[in-house]
Amino acid sequence: MHTDTERCVRAVQSKEARFDGVFFTAVRTTRIYCRPSCPAVPPKPENMEFHPSAASCQRAGYRACKRCRPDTSPGSPRWNVRADAVARAVRLIQDGVVDREGVPGLARRLGWSTRQIERQLLAELGAGPLALARAQRAQTARLLIETTPMPFGEIAFAAGFSSIRTFNDTVREVFALTPGELRARVTRRAPLGAAATPGVISLRLPFRAPLEPSNLFGHLAATAVPGVEEWRDGAYRRTLSLPYGHGIVSLAPRPDHIACRLFLTDPRDLTHAISRCRRLLDLDADPVAVDEQLRTDPLLAPLVDKAPGRRVPGTVDPAEFAVRAVLGQQVSTAAARTHAARLVTAHGVPVEDPEGGLTHLFPGPEALAALDPESLALPRSRRTTLLTLVRALADGSLPLGPADDREEARARLLALPGFGPWTTEIIAMRALGDPDAFLPGDLGVRRAAEGLGLPGTPAALTARAAHWRPWRAYAVQYLWATDDHPINHLPA
């Protein structure tokens, strides 16, 4: 979109928050870059230039606006919609892969050369992988500076910087303030230190309005695995397995943000944890674009108008969700939770939760690959399906990460015993984040479709749903919401 100057100027002049994170406005006269919805008086069009990423602005010599804080914008929704290699690269960078493995590690995961990655990302985002990772490190550093009393030396390495000097130089260059000045601006309003809980990072996760929380948090709470997830004091809480340690996250809906509290055993996991939480709650979606498309169907329009902004619940761990999808085949939600809880108790890693009732991490594929099939209270065919799945996940023959090709993953899932269209599509929807995944054979979808006057057979419904593309996963959320199931209600 940043190449459509006329459209970008209109968005800036009307202060369209919908486009925050989609493009950035750089002002030539002030050398500042802003989000489109910046509350300041819009600059003259001839003084504006538009960039596809914050990293591109920083690379061109602009600093972040202190008023609208463009580094805190939601992510661009196009990287979730697109499935090409550039989009997969962006998702991996957001996941912290460059910080952990460098550009060569990113290249290995994508099957590209480092030169190809640099060229493609420069063409589309105006910045290479190192610049994109640097912008993300700067954002993480600012977050830790402003929300925790951590010493700056610890923050530098937690945010992914290789040295304190690089940390200081980057913060000063990007924000035109030193780390000390950034913290002083916050502590004048709300002092840190005694009031802060040791080890806990509190932050706001932004999203594009509107956001309908009922099915999003209702789904997560209704399907919560005891010991791993819970709903407590108006928040969804769960344990996280992370690259450097583990964590516990609390997520609560607010009118203009998601309140997030993170406890991490290693602060270097912050970027990765935030990325997972955003994917879990689908916070980078563009609900206006989704709802506009679905409203073109006169039978769906009333559902959209009743509760606009529904999101697709995701997952913090694709492998975990794949296991849970198999456990949920042809059984009730309660039975699926019971089966999952047994696996957690027997094979999960224990953790301490001083603020709630969480007890374990969900067991990884490596821990489950060696389990005794006779210990599973499942039909024999389901045992075979589960064991085949976890072994494929453990040996790497079934990759389900943010960089993996969705169609290839579908083909590999369908090749496993016991995997049909429903299981494959629910994994594509929630684990792979495919916004166009569709479940025409799902009982809830078929009941809702028949009640609305939509075709009732899978083939006919799929043909009708062609008009909903590329947002069929969101259409499923609206169809499910017609049922009075606990997944559709925000817990009390």
Side-chain angles (χ1 to χ4, degrees):
M1 178 177 172
H2 72 285
T3 58
D4 188 342
T5 301
E6 184 178 343
R7 189 181 178 195
C8 289
V9 168
R10 289 200 306 268
V12 171
Q13 291 177 339
S14 60
K15 302 187 184 299
E16 283 271 7
R18 171 188 173 185
F19 297 109
D20 288 354
V22 176
F23 72 89
F24 296 82
T25 307
V27 186
R28 298 187 182 99
T29 52
T30 61
R31 306 305 296 173
I32 291 172
Y33 73 93
C34 303
R35 60 172 76 197
S37 66
C38 182
V41 176
K44 295 178 180 179
E46 59 267 26
N47 293 331
M48 300 182 200
E49 64 181 59
F50 304 103
H51 292 257
S53 66
S56 175
C57 295
Q58 294 167 18
R59 184 169 176 266
Y62 293 93
R63 66 169 178 82
C65 174
K66 297 176 184 177
R67 189 168 181 183
C68 71
R69 300 181 54 168
D71 55 303
T72 62
S73 300
S76 175
R78 62 176 169 156
W79 307 123
N80 293 332
V81 176
R82 290 172 47 175
D84 58 87
V86 170
R88 289 154 53 201
V90 171
R91 293 198 291 268
L92 280 173
I93 293 170
Q94 292 172 342
D95 217 33
V97 166
V98 171
D99 290 337
R100 297 192 301 273
E101 304 174 26
V103 178
L106 177 65
R108 283 194 302 272
R109 292 189 179 225
L110 293 169
W112 281 10
S113 69
T114 56
R115 185 176 179 181
Q116 281 178 303
I117 293 174
E118 185 80 25
R119 185 170 60 249
Q120 293 289 337
L121 291 179
L122 274 172
E124 291 221 32
L125 289 105
L130 288 176
L132 292 167
R134 176 179 180 268
Q136 184 163 276
R137 285 195 292 271
Q139 179 182 348
T140 302
R142 180 175 192 163
L143 184 64
L144 291 171
I145 290 168
E146 295 182 340
T147 63
T148 75
M150 289 173 61
F152 294 147
E154 293 181 18
I155 289 176
F157 296 109
F161 290 98
S162 58
S163 70
I164 296 176
R165 178 177 179 178
T166 305
F167 158 74
N168 286 327
D169 291 346
T170 299
V171 171
R172 189 181 298 110
E173 180 182 337
V174 173
F175 305 115
L177 294 168
T178 66
E181 289 169 339
L182 269 178
R183 179 164 284 174
R185 284 163 59 95
V186 175
T187 54
R188 281 196 294 266
R189 299 191 299 267
L192 299 172
T197 304
V200 173
I201 301 169
S202 297
L203 57 141
R204 296 182 172 199
L205 301 182
F207 57 77
R208 292 178 185 83
L211 182 144
E212 171 55 51
S214 58
N215 74 299
L216 181 60
F217 286 91
H219 205 121
L220 296 174
T223 60
V225 176
V228 174
E229 304 165 287
E230 67 175 1
W231 181 265
R232 181 183 291 266
D233 298 329
Y236 166 76
R237 304 179 72 248
R238 71 154 293 146
T239 58
L240 302 170
S241 297
L242 300 164
Y244 296 106
H246 70 266
I248 293 174
V249 65
S250 171
L251 299 162
R254 299 290 184 263
D256 61 349
H257 67 277
I258 300 296
C260 174
R261 280 170 53 84
L262 275 166
F263 169 77
L264 303 173
T265 56
D266 191 319
R268 290 178 295 174
D269 283 321
L270 178 61
T271 298
H272 192 75
I274 292 174
S275 175
R276 289 191 180 193
C277 292
R278 296 194 66 82
R279 288 202 299 270
L280 173 70
L281 301 181
D282 194 19
L283 296 185
D284 293 327
D286 182 352
V288 174
V290 173
D291 291 350
E292 281 181 353
Q293 177 69 22
L294 298 183
R295 279 194 184 97
T296 62
D297 190 317
L299 297 181
L300 277 186
L303 300 182
V304 177
D305 292 337
K306 181 180 179 181
R310 291 194 185 276
R311 299 302 206 269
V312 179
T315 182
V316 296
D317 186 338
E320 173 191 319
F321 184 81
V323 170
R324 292 172 62 172
V326 170
L327 295 176
Q329 288 178 334
Q330 300 177 354
V331 298
S332 67
T333 300
R337 294 178 65 204
T338 298
H339 290 314
R342 289 171 180 164
L343 284 183
V344 167
T345 301
H347 304 282
V349 177
V351 298
E352 293 185 4
D353 176 18
E355 297 184 346
L358 303 179
T359 59
H360 289 81
L361 302 175
F362 196 91
E366 295 78 9
L368 296 176
L371 60 79
D372 179 5
E374 298 302 320
S375 66
L376 301 172
L378 297 170
R380 187 172 299 276
S381 61
R382 194 79 46 77
R383 296 179 196 172
T384 301
T385 299
L386 180 63
L387 289 174
T388 305
L389 170 68
V390 296
R391 288 167 183 167
L393 291 168
D395 65 21
S397 60
L398 178 61
L400 294 179
D404 296 308
D405 185 274
R406 292 165 180 166
E407 292 309 314
E408 182 180 344
R410 278 183 169 93
R412 295 191 182 195
L413 287 167
L414 286 170
L416 297 177
F419 273 79
W422 183 91
T423 309
T424 300
E425 286 301 301
I426 197 69
I427 292 173
M429 179 189 294
R430 296 194 54 193
L432 298 174
D434 186 349
D436 202 39
F438 192 48
L439 304 168
D442 179 82
L443 182 59
V445 170
R446 292 177 63 185
R447 284 177 177 171
E450 291 171 356
L452 293 172
L454 291 164
T457 64
L461 185 57
T462 299
R464 174 63 176 265
H467 300 293
W468 307 340
R469 305 190 76 167
W471 311 117
R472 293 184 300 177
Y474 294 87
V476 169
Q477 307 308 312
Y478 283 105
L479 291 172
W480 274 341
T482 62
D483 190 12
D484 190 30
H485 191 282
I487 66 169
N488 295 316
H489 302 288
L490 194 66

